[in-house]
Amino acid sequence: EEMAARLLRNAGPIKADAIRKGGADCDSADDAMREVVAAVLDGTDGEKLSDDASKLAVFLDDRVCVPRDVGYVPVQGLRVLARAAAPELSA
């Protein structure tokens, strides 16, 4: 819940950063953010994320700083999504 709350609180800057640095599409950034937040809250493994949401999860996983941005335990939900979206990160 803490990770989802942090994403929602900073949704504007996160989406802008994903568009500017992560190659996200302006039209789909909001939908991708909503999908990632819902997946973090549901505790899903990320297998059913759209391509845009998967890319955003990987981008966020790369950009989030523990413990500055969020604690170690809360970030694990995001990390699960990113690893499912990009299995090569698990190695």
Side-chain angles (χ1 to χ4, degrees), residues 16-84:
D17 197 38
I19 291 166
R20 189 174 52 255
K21 297 177 183 172
D25 182 282
C26 191
D27 295 329
S28 62
D30 190 56
D31 291 337
M33 176 65 88
R34 290 171 193 261
E35 195 174 340
V36 168
V37 169
V40 167
L41 283 173
D42 291 343
T44 60
D45 61 6
E47 297 283 330
K48 296 179 182 177
L49 290 178
S50 68
D51 287 342
D52 291 331
S54 294
K55 289 176 188 174
L56 181 62
V58 171
F59 176 77
L60 290 171
D61 182 48
D62 185 52
R63 304 279 298 165
V64 72
C65 180
V66 175
R68 182 194 70 197
D69 298 327
V70 70
Y72 176 78
V73 173
V75 82
Q76 295 311 305
L78 178 63
R79 298 255 155 97
V80 167
L81 297 177
R83 298 307 185 278

